[in-house]
Amino acid sequence: RFHRTTGSIISLQEETKLPTAVIVRSADATEEWRRQAVHRERDRLGQAGLPVFPSFERAARALSKVIRYWTENDSSLGGHIED
């Protein structure tokens, strides 16, 4: 099921071309096959060009840095984003 979900996320990003980030929590399962499945799908998402984060907090922090860099360095925005 995880494999299908990963495929759907990749397809959606390819179709829409919208910026996408994915949060995949670490495999806390005791079963080795589950841990391997999570790692395999995380790698698959990364190979498709999607940034993958282990938590919402890490994703938010990274995206915040990207937005800050973009707004400070994009002269067409005049140093800020308008709502």
Side-chain angles (χ1 to χ4, degrees):
R1 200 158 78 186
F2 191 29
H3 186 76
R4 279 194 314 249
T5 301
T6 301
S8 295
I9 292 168
I10 292 169
S11 294
L12 181 65
Q13 197 280 327
E14 289 172 348
E15 290 172 20
T16 64
K17 304 293 185 209
L18 293 172
T20 306
V22 182
I23 298 166
V24 178
R25 295 189 58 210
S26 5
D28 295 332
T30 57
E31 300 93 346
E32 182 62 24
W33 67 270
R34 285 185 193 266
R35 281 196 302 276
Q36 289 178 359
V38 169
H39 290 291
R40 185 173 48 249
E41 295 308 308
R42 185 181 291 142
D43 289 346
R44 186 173 166 214
L45 290 161
Q47 289 171 357
L50 292 163
V52 181
F53 299 95
S55 68
F56 180 81
E57 292 79 14
R58 291 274 301 270
R61 192 168 42 232
L63 295 174
S64 172
K65 289 179 182 181
V66 168
I67 291 169
R68 186 177 324 116
Y69 175 84
W70 181 61
T71 57
E72 291 172 358
N73 294 289
D74 188 334
S75 60
S76 68
L77 294 174
H80 67 280
I81 294 179
E82 294 185 27
D83 293 321

